[in-house]
Amino acid sequence: MADEVADRVREAIYAGLYAPGAPLREVELATVLRVSRGPVREALLRLEREGLVRSEWHRGTTVTTLSAEEVDELYSLRDVLEELAVQRLIRHATDAELQAVRAAADRMDGAADKHTTVQQDLDFHDAVFAAAHHRRLEEAWRAIRSQVHLFLLIRLGISDEYARHVAAEHRELADVLIARDEERALQLFADHRRHAAALVAAQVSRNSPQPAANRAL
């Protein structure tokens, strides 16, 4: 039951029904989902371990809001993990796995809405890590995947640029992987991550509360 509740709350966050910072109250969730508070409490603990929600004694449980420092940490960690994934994919992936990566990129053209686009963006990167043939590397990616999803939701809200160009961008990434051009692939993936991180970091910094001394000016 807790697994099912966690899945439904996670999907609601991913669909934009609960924005970063939104409260997640046990009583309300239990009523909406028609379960007791026990499974809801356990589900929220699981989502907290994923980094998707946070619990504070004076605020209760809320959807995680990434700080500028957390965006930087997430970007730098993903940078290391994905660079290794790309290197291993090019050296070890089967042709069928490369086609699965390409298919994931192609599906982004038919996204029904922006939130589906984010889901399919992550599906593409899931396929890259799966084709790397490195179980612990894939587990490390899974450990930060929910927070990367939050990161992409922030990017989604910045402008329409993401939704307009994301499919073509990922097709280009798939093309260099299929060509097994390691140098070019590493460069394109690095540019892909760097551009997104710069946009999100700037947005998060703008939204961060200023120190009291600055606000008084």
Side-chain angles (χ1 to χ4, degrees):
M1 181 65 71
D3 285 340
E4 182 178 342
V5 172
D7 287 344
R8 293 182 65 180
V9 175
R10 187 188 298 107
E11 290 306 313
I13 293 171
Y14 289 167
L17 299 179
Y18 295 105
L24 296 169
R25 299 182 177 90
E26 286 183 15
V27 173
E28 292 178 5
L29 289 172
T31 301
V32 169
L33 298 175
R34 298 182 180 180
V35 297
S36 65
R37 292 178 63 181
V40 172
R41 188 176 301 114
E42 186 176 345
L44 292 177
L45 287 173
R46 296 183 187 188
L47 296 177
E48 186 173 12
R49 287 194 291 270
E50 293 178 19
L52 199 55
V53 307
R54 287 183 179 151
S55 180
E56 301 177 56
W57 70 269
H58 60 292
R59 292 186 62 194
T61 301
T62 59
V63 179
T64 296
T65 300
L66 295 174
S67 68
E69 181 181 6
E70 288 168 327
V71 168
D72 182 66
E73 289 182 352
L74 190 59
Y75 161 70
S76 59
L77 179 55
R78 183 183 174 187
D79 208 35
V80 173
L81 296 178
E82 200 160 66
E83 181 173 311
L84 178 57
V86 168
Q87 290 172 331
R88 288 189 57 87
L89 176 149
I90 287 173
R91 299 170 192 177
H92 302 291
T94 65
D95 289 343
E97 287 168 334
L98 289 173
Q99 289 306 314
V101 171
R102 177 68 201 209
D106 289 342
R107 282 193 294 273
M108 299 178 78
D109 270 329
D113 53 52
K114 293 179 180 180
H115 288 283
T116 303
T117 297
V118 172
Q119 293 274 13
Q120 292 175 340
D121 187 333
L122 287 163
D123 289 345
F124 173 88
H125 293 280
D126 288 345
V128 170
F129 278 92
H133 292 267
H134 191 308
R135 180 173 58 82
R136 286 180 172 81
L137 176 61
E138 190 171 3
E139 289 173 354
W141 161 247
R142 292 286 176 183
I144 66 168
R145 189 184 188 279
S146 291
Q147 294 173 71
V148 173
H149 201 132
L150 287 177
F151 174 97
L152 291 176
L153 289 176
I154 296 172
R155 185 183 179 189
L156 184 65
I158 296 172
S159 72
D160 290 334
E161 173 268 343
Y162 168 71
R164 285 198 308 268
H165 302 298
V166 66
E169 195 172 312
H170 283 77
R171 283 197 302 273
E172 186 178 13
L173 294 176
D175 286 343
V176 293
L177 293 177
I178 291 171
R180 297 187 190 267
D181 185 342
E182 182 173 326
E183 182 178 355
R184 180 65 174 154
L186 289 173
Q187 184 61 57
L188 284 180
F189 271 83
D191 291 344
H192 173 70
R193 292 188 299 269
R194 189 180 303 112
H195 176 63
L199 287 173
V200 173
Q203 180 71 16
V204 168
S205 295
R206 283 194 294 270
N207 291 342
S208 297
Q210 296 297 313
N214 289 345
R215 290 202 303 267
L217 295 177

